[in-house]
Amino acid sequence: MLTMVIYDITDNKDRNNLIKKLQHYGLRRIQKSAFIGNVSLSKRNELEGKVGENVSGPKDSIYFVPICHKCRGLTTIFSEDERVLIDDRNYRII
């Protein structure tokens, strides 16, 4: 399942730990506070169970956003860096 994870974590240690977890599960950074990748439902549930410890401040948040195949086809990316893509056939690049 294609999943985007976006976050706002104030503590540097918590943020760096979260980044390592996301990378360990195969997600790639596409923005400063955004990762994307294909993760099975069981691995996604496992990861979701581990990230709560990285939310320590009242303004901290982590969002897991599933992206279905239809939504991928409706996604438009404005970027000169095509490396942000997982599979460029499923996105409209401008």
Side-chain angles (χ1 to χ4, degrees):
M1 169 187 313
L2 185 63
T3 300
M4 182 174 8
V5 179
I6 54 176
Y7 58 88
D8 191 3
I9 304 294
T10 55
D11 182 77
N12 288 336
K13 183 178 177 183
D14 287 337
R15 187 173 49 254
N16 289 334
N17 284 336
L18 174 63
I19 290 167
K20 288 178 186 175
K21 287 175 188 167
L22 297 174
Q23 291 172 333
H24 175 76
Y25 279 82
L27 283 89
R28 293 185 326 150
R29 178 176 261 154
I30 57 170
Q31 293 283 325
K32 188 166 180 100
S33 297
F35 281 73
I36 196 167
N38 286 304
V39 183
S40 70
L41 184 56
S42 62
K43 290 293 185 185
R44 178 186 159 149
N45 290 336
E46 183 179 303
L47 177 58
E48 287 176 356
K50 293 180 178 183
V51 300
E53 62 196 32
N54 298 111
V55 176
S56 59
K59 295 183 180 182
D60 289 358
S61 61
I62 303 170
Y63 289 75
F64 281 76
V65 183
I67 302 174
C68 71
H69 185 70
K70 181 179 178 182
C71 292
R72 286 174 74 167
L74 298 172
T75 300
T76 302
I77 299 171
F78 293 86
S79 177
E80 293 182 10
D81 185 359
E82 293 185 20
R83 293 176 299 158
V84 301
L85 305 177
I86 290 193
D87 180 354
D88 63 4
R89 294 170 292 159
N90 292 314
Y91 301 95
R92 195 172 121 209
I93 306 167
I94 296 177

